[in-house]
Amino acid sequence: MEQKQREKLLEARAWIQKELDTCINFWLKNGMDREHGGVYTCLDRKGEIYSTDKSVWMQGRCGWIFAWLCAVYGKKEEWLAASKSCLDFMEKCCINPEADGRMYFTVTADGKPLRQRRYFYSEAFYAMANAEYYGVTGEKECLERAKRAYEIYWDLWHGAPDPTGLGPKTIPETRTGRSFGLPMIYLNVTSVMMRTDPESKALYEARAQQCVDEIFRYNYHPELKCVLENVGPDGEARTEFTEGRIVNPGHDIEGVWFLLEHAKRTGDPELVKKAEQIFDWAIHAGWDEEYGGLLYFVDCLGKPPEAYEHDMKLWWPHDEILISSLMLYRDTGKDEYLDWFYKTLEYCKAHFSDPEYGEWYGYLRRDGLPTMPSTKGSTFKGPFHLPRMLVNVDCMLGELTK
Amino acid sequence: MEQKQREKLLEARAWIQKELDTCINFWLKNGMDREHGGVYTCLDRKGEIYSTDKSVWMQGRCGWIFAWLCAVYGKKEEWLAASKSCLDFMEKCCINPEADGRMYFTVTADGKPLRQRRYFYSEAFYAMANAEYYGVTGEKECLERAKRAYEIYWDLWHGAPDPTGLGPKTIPETRTGRSFGLPMIYLNVTSVMMRTDPESKALYEARAQQCVDEIFRYNYHPELKCVLENVGPDGEARTEFTEGRIVNPGHDIEGVWFLLEHAKRTGDPELVKKAEQIFDWAIHAGWDEEYGGLLYFVDCLGKPPEAYEHDMKLWWPHDEILISSLMLYRDTGKDEYLDWFYKTLEYCKAHFSDPEYGEWYGYLRRDGLPTMPSTKGSTFKGPFHLPRMLVNVDCMLGELTK
């Protein structure tokens, strides 16, 4: 590597490390609930809590990130305590006692249940958090919890009756289908399970392969040059209604690095090529040539997406571009991916980062200014995508500049 | 009235009438489904259908508007047929046969059920459409249908068990409450019932009064200078979580003219003053001093609203400002309301109206440009708010310039 290129990477790494430090401190200082346990994530620009309702996804994601920080950088009491606080809060307040291990979607500050949803992503993040905590501490009970939730997700995904009694959102006699999120998130959970519980590696490898196969069998659509968020039961593209045409470029690009990790582990160069293809489709469909940044939703035929917020710039897809572009550069050596990394990094520095109060704005208008009053967290934004990106990128930049 | 002021009103009226003509033709030409009946409302800028799924709200709203056009301007075969087509489509395809008159939320182009929701606004618009059609044609069966749906809404609102079996969204042991939409929409449906079915006037007057009383008893909050969308069971403001702090200024301003109609009919000058108060709070909280136009949601304490789209400009709140400001001017004579009428009219001409293809853009970014690709309709936008405003304003301008 040229000296000049190396210096640029080192400079990026210094910024990333500083941003990680700020981000972690923002959540430790402002988010952790020292009274009831768990984390508040509805924080405004300055870190003040603007809603005390708690997101169960975020309890799991926060529980995971602080355990993972220990796994990557070495144990710190404060990190371990933050993770444990979320784990305990979930155990005590976020599992629906009448629905066989199914978890709530939101609860009050003191843990009273607010909402049960049909989706089972609460269970996914609970599994990740418990598995990672087991990996760091060796607490067997956490591994058992993770495995239980991991099986609940798998079973519900494959048609097991839902103990909550909530049926599908769409009347199944009229329309059913497959969503990209199910194999994509499961692939990510599986990689955490595999790393922390190597004893069951064979099971995890089989599950991971099945996720990868399903993504390509059903949601990957070369004739439309995209990955479709929602397809028919046999993977059919349904182009007559909007739901069937939605492309979520950030989701696709997030999937890219899950696929690259799988390709690297299993030694599959063909899969690297296909992941490149997904990245190329998504970044070209989603990058806003007029204002910069990645659009939230696009339509595979260029028609209007129905979600009002489709042209907004959310923080997390940009985190995913940074991870996937750098990983693609690392694994293919192609400069175009490094270019996307730098281009996105510049956009994030200029628009998402907030040197004054720390953490990133979550929600920008198409023109790149935050919606006002701006926020640093919400039911869907907490200490997850940003610190996960910062850690991944820090590690990759470390490898690349070695 | 001064000659100059009268001329300005007449000029506005000419523009309104032209816009009404264009709007009606846009939907008749592009929306009506001549194959299966009913209306498609997911239309793009040019009027092309971008999604064939049908909104049940929109079948009712479209069925209502075309019957109401006949009631106001005299019967036209094409209008009556459009209304009837929506009525028939609803009768055939939009009522859930397993849920005792409850209606679906969306169905496919050919009327297969897609989604059942817990909310009963489909029933509200079905009642309005059938009542108005009865008013124009004297078809008794339509009045009976309207009355049935009108009672279903009332009963569900007041705690009757829901035959769909869908429970409340929020776990009621933890949190229940009252939403402003329930009395507000019912007040509007009631005014249509009362006008078309004068025989039952006493019942409708009692129900209307109850809606008005509930709005002021529960959702009207002088100490916060706003109407809250969601309050506790006794009207308590719940300021610790975002849902409890949401103000929807367009909704409040829509309510203003429902209240003014009630005040005029019952001869209640105090109610006019309170409606003025609601308008003043909402327009000052919601009008965007930087870019113009009315924000979609604001927070009563100035904290961040959680909906991503909170700072967007939707077409319908602007329709409601035009009706309410002109009606307030008519009923109070205060120039400040005429100023709001003109200010909003200018904004709508500059940003929502599309002289090239007709109808209004539905969804603008905060800066007043449409989200791209732009749309003229969606699951929530069809021939309703815009033509309803154009007719109301046309009639009021007629009175004012007589």
Side-chain angles (χ1 to χ4, degrees):
Chain A
M1 183 176 287
E2 271 186 64
Q3 184 59 20
K4 220 168 144 189
Q5 198 173 358
R6 193 167 170 273
E7 271 167 25
K8 201 173 166 190
L9 290 172
L10 286 172
E11 197 187 302
R13 194 182 184 198
W15 186 83
I16 290 282
Q17 288 177 336
K18 194 163 150 278
E19 204 74 357
L20 177 60
D21 193 54
T22 310
C23 165
I24 293 169
N25 290 331
F26 182 93
W27 292 103
L28 284 175
K29 180 176 162 223
N30 303 303
M32 300 315 299
D33 180 353
R34 285 164 229 285
E35 188 184 352
H36 311 98
V39 67
Y40 294 112
T41 58
C42 291
L43 304 187
D44 70 9
R45 184 185 173 197
K46 297 183 182 179
E48 278 173 30
I49 297 165
Y50 65 85
S51 187
T52 55
D53 289 347
K54 286 174 175 161
S55 153
V56 178
W57 287 21
M58 282 303 150
Q59 306 308 310
R61 286 170 157 188
C62 179
W64 174 74
I65 199 87
F66 282 106
W68 190 53
L69 285 169
C70 294
V72 176
Y73 298 108
K75 271 192 227 182
K76 267 197 188 177
E77 277 317 307
E78 199 180 14
W79 295 348
L80 215 53
S83 173
K84 182 79 169 29
S85 176
C86 293
L87 257 57
D88 289 348
F89 186 80
M90 284 193 288
E91 217 52 36
K92 207 173 121 200
C93 311
C94 302
I95 301 171
N96 183 338
E98 288 160 21
D100 213 12
R102 292 278 344 249
M103 300 180 75
Y104 298 118
F105 177 67
T106 44
V107 299
T108 59
D110 58 349
K112 292 196 191 71
L114 281 171
R115 214 172 142 201
Q116 172 72 59
R117 288 180 84 190
R118 48 175 68 79
Y119 312 101
F120 29 92
Y121 295 114
S122 291
E123 290 80 349
F125 303 120
Y126 168 89
M128 278 174 72
N130 275 286
E132 198 71 57
Y133 193 84
Y134 162 75
V136 173
T137 64
E139 282 198 25
K140 281 271 179 199
E141 197 194 324
C142 293
L143 177 62
E144 280 152 29
R145 292 177 192 161
K147 285 178 141 175
R148 217 155 40 225
Y150 183 72
E151 292 305 319
I152 288 174
Y153 185 133
W154 180 262
D155 292 344
L156 288 168
W157 174 16
H158 292 94
D162 180 355
T164 67
L166 294 163
K169 193 167 184 170
T170 302
I171 293 169
E173 289 78 9
T174 305
R175 187 181 292 164
T176 59
R178 294 174 179 275
S179 71
F180 175 59
L182 283 172
M184 199 271 266
I185 299 292
Y186 201 76
L187 182 58
N188 182 227
V189 179
T190 300
S191 84
V192 174
M193 300 293 295
M194 195 169 339
R195 179 166 46 73
T196 54
D197 177 31
E199 277 178 43
S200 305
K201 189 167 189 295
L203 168 78
Y204 300 130
E205 283 292 2
R207 294 268 172 98
Q209 192 59 50
Q210 195 159 334
C211 291
V212 173
D213 292 346
E214 290 209 7
I215 289 168
F216 288 101
R217 187 174 316 133
Y218 301 120
N219 296 82
Y220 180 83
H221 277 264
E223 83 287 8
L224 293 166
K225 294 197 163 71
C226 69
V227 172
L228 291 172
E229 278 296 299
N230 305 294
V231 292
D234 298 316
E236 319 88 281
R238 298 161 306 173
T239 55
E240 68 280 16
F241 49 88
T242 37
E243 195 200 2
R245 294 195 309 268
I246 294 172
V247 175
N248 181 331
H251 227 196
D252 301 345
I253 291 170
E254 182 177 9
V256 164
W257 67 268
F258 300 165
L259 293 170
L260 288 173
E261 285 187 330
H262 184 84
K264 196 176 187 193
R265 210 183 53 247
T266 58
D268 182 347
E270 280 309 305
L271 183 56
V272 175
K273 279 191 198 150
K274 281 155 107 181
E276 272 190 77
Q277 183 62 266
I278 294 177
F279 183 90
D280 295 349
W281 287 337
I283 202 91
H284 289 110
W287 191 264
D288 184 345
E289 290 301 334
E290 194 173 347
Y291 295 97
L294 198 77
L295 298 164
Y296 189 25
F297 295 119
V298 296
D299 182 288
C300 73
L301 298 181
K303 294 173 192 258
E306 258 213 281
Y308 304 166
E309 66 272 23
H310 66 83
D311 75 353
M312 289 179 66
K313 312 288 163 63
L314 274 65
W315 88 102
W316 67 264
H318 299 81
D319 291 328
E320 305 310 324
I321 302 175
L322 290 170
I323 301 177
S324 286
S325 61
L326 197 64
M327 203 178 280
L328 279 168
Y329 173 66
R330 182 194 69 185
D331 294 351
T332 71
K334 293 182 189 171
D335 282 338
E336 61 189 275
Y337 298 118
L338 192 60
D339 294 345
W340 275 115
F341 174 77
Y342 282 125
K343 187 172 178 172
T344 305
L345 193 67
E346 288 315 308
Y347 184 86
C348 294
K349 280 184 187 175
H351 298 277
F352 284 112
S353 178
D354 176 15
E356 197 168 347
Y357 292 99
E359 248 290 326
W360 286 14
Y361 298 113
Y363 307 94
L364 309 183
R365 299 151 26 179
R366 186 171 168 204
D367 63 10
L369 289 169
T371 57
M372 293 298 293
S374 62
T375 59
K376 295 294 172 55
S378 70
T379 303
F380 298 95
K381 182 176 190 290
F384 184 66
H385 291 93
L386 175 60
R388 181 175 76 170
M389 177 280 286
L390 295 166
V391 172
N392 271 308
V393 167
D394 179 36
C395 295
M396 282 191 280
L397 288 173
E399 284 178 65
L400 286 164
T401 55
K402 212 158 39 192
Chain B
M1 183 175 289
E2 271 186 65
Q3 184 58 20
K4 221 169 145 188
Q5 198 174 356
R6 193 168 171 273
E7 270 167 26
K8 202 173 167 191
L9 290 171
L10 286 171
E11 197 187 302
R13 193 180 185 199
W15 186 82
I16 289 282
Q17 289 178 334
K18 193 161 151 280
E19 205 73 358
L20 176 59
D21 193 55
T22 310
C23 165
I24 293 169
N25 290 331
F26 182 92
W27 292 103
L28 284 175
K29 180 175 163 225
N30 303 303
M32 300 314 300
D33 180 352
R34 286 164 226 287
E35 188 183 353
H36 311 97
V39 66
Y40 294 112
T41 57
C42 291
L43 304 187
D44 70 10
R45 183 183 174 198
K46 298 183 181 178
E48 278 172 30
I49 297 165
Y50 66 84
S51 186
T52 56
D53 288 347
K54 286 174 176 162
S55 154
V56 178
W57 287 20
M58 283 302 149
Q59 307 306 311
R61 286 169 157 189
C62 180
W64 174 73
I65 198 87
F66 281 106
W68 190 52
L69 285 170
C70 294
V72 175
Y73 297 108
K75 270 191 225 181
K76 266 198 189 176
E77 277 317 308
E78 199 180 12
W79 294 348
L80 216 53
S83 174
K84 181 79 168 26
S85 175
C86 292
L87 258 56
D88 290 348
F89 186 80
M90 283 193 288
E91 217 52 37
K92 209 173 119 198
C93 311
C94 302
I95 301 172
N96 184 338
E98 288 159 21
D100 212 12
R102 292 273 351 245
M103 300 181 73
Y104 299 117
F105 177 67
T106 44
V107 300
T108 58
D110 59 348
K112 292 196 192 72
L114 280 171
R115 215 173 142 200
Q116 172 72 59
R117 289 180 85 191
R118 49 175 68 78
Y119 312 103
F120 30 93
Y121 295 113
S122 292
E123 290 79 350
F125 303 120
Y126 168 89
M128 278 174 73
N130 275 286
E132 198 71 57
Y133 192 84
Y134 162 75
V136 173
T137 63
E139 282 198 27
K140 281 272 180 198
E141 197 192 324
C142 292
L143 177 61
E144 280 153 29
R145 290 177 192 161
K147 285 178 141 177
R148 215 153 43 223
Y150 183 72
E151 293 304 320
I152 288 174
Y153 186 132
W154 180 262
D155 292 344
L156 288 168
W157 175 16
H158 293 93
D162 180 354
T164 67
L166 293 164
K169 194 166 182 170
T170 302
I171 293 168
E173 288 78 9
T174 305
R175 187 181 293 165
T176 60
R178 295 174 178 273
S179 71
F180 175 58
L182 282 171
M184 200 270 266
I185 298 293
Y186 201 75
L187 182 59
N188 183 225
V189 178
T190 300
S191 84
V192 174
M193 300 294 295
M194 193 168 340
R195 178 166 48 72
T196 54
D197 178 31
E199 278 180 41
S200 305
K201 189 166 189 296
L203 168 78
Y204 301 130
E205 283 292 2
R207 294 267 172 99
Q209 192 58 51
Q210 194 159 337
C211 291
V212 173
D213 292 347
E214 291 209 6
I215 288 169
F216 289 101
R217 189 174 315 132
Y218 301 121
N219 297 82
Y220 181 82
H221 277 264
E223 83 287 7
L224 292 165
K225 294 196 162 71
C226 70
V227 172
L228 291 173
E229 279 295 299
N230 306 294
V231 292
D234 299 316
E236 318 88 281
R238 298 160 305 174
T239 55
E240 68 280 17
F241 49 88
T242 36
E243 195 201 1
R245 293 195 311 267
I246 294 172
V247 175
N248 181 331
H251 227 197
D252 301 345
I253 291 170
E254 181 177 9
V256 164
W257 68 268
F258 300 165
L259 293 170
L260 288 174
E261 285 187 331
H262 184 83
K264 196 176 186 192
R265 210 182 54 249
T266 58
D268 181 348
E270 281 310 304
L271 184 56
V272 176
K273 278 190 199 151
K274 281 154 109 181
E276 272 191 78
Q277 182 63 266
I278 293 177
F279 183 90
D280 295 349
W281 287 338
I283 202 92
H284 289 112
W287 191 265
D288 183 345
E289 290 301 334
E290 193 173 348
Y291 294 97
L294 198 77
L295 298 165
Y296 190 25
F297 295 119
V298 296
D299 181 288
C300 73
L301 298 182
K303 294 174 192 260
E306 257 213 281
Y308 303 167
E309 66 272 23
H310 67 83
D311 74 353
M312 289 178 66
K313 311 288 162 65
L314 273 65
W315 88 103
W316 67 264
H318 299 80
D319 291 327
E320 306 309 324
I321 302 176
L322 290 170
I323 301 177
S324 285
S325 61
L326 197 63
M327 202 178 281
L328 279 168
Y329 173 66
R330 183 193 70 184
D331 295 351
T332 70
K334 292 183 188 169
D335 282 337
E336 62 190 273
Y337 297 118
L338 192 60
D339 293 344
W340 275 115
F341 174 77
Y342 282 126
K343 187 172 178 171
T344 305
L345 193 67
E346 287 315 306
Y347 184 86
C348 294
K349 280 185 186 175
H351 297 279
F352 284 111
S353 177
D354 177 14
E356 198 169 347
Y357 292 99
E359 249 289 327
W360 287 13
Y361 298 112
Y363 307 94
L364 310 182
R365 301 152 24 180
R366 185 172 168 202
D367 62 11
L369 289 169
T371 57
M372 293 298 294
S374 62
T375 59
K376 296 292 172 56
S378 69
T379 303
F380 297 95
K381 182 176 190 291
F384 184 67
H385 291 92
L386 176 59
R388 181 174 77 168
M389 178 280 285
L390 295 167
V391 172
N392 271 309
V393 167
D394 179 35
C395 294
M396 283 192 279
L397 288 174
E399 286 177 65
L400 287 165
T401 54
K402 214 163 30 197

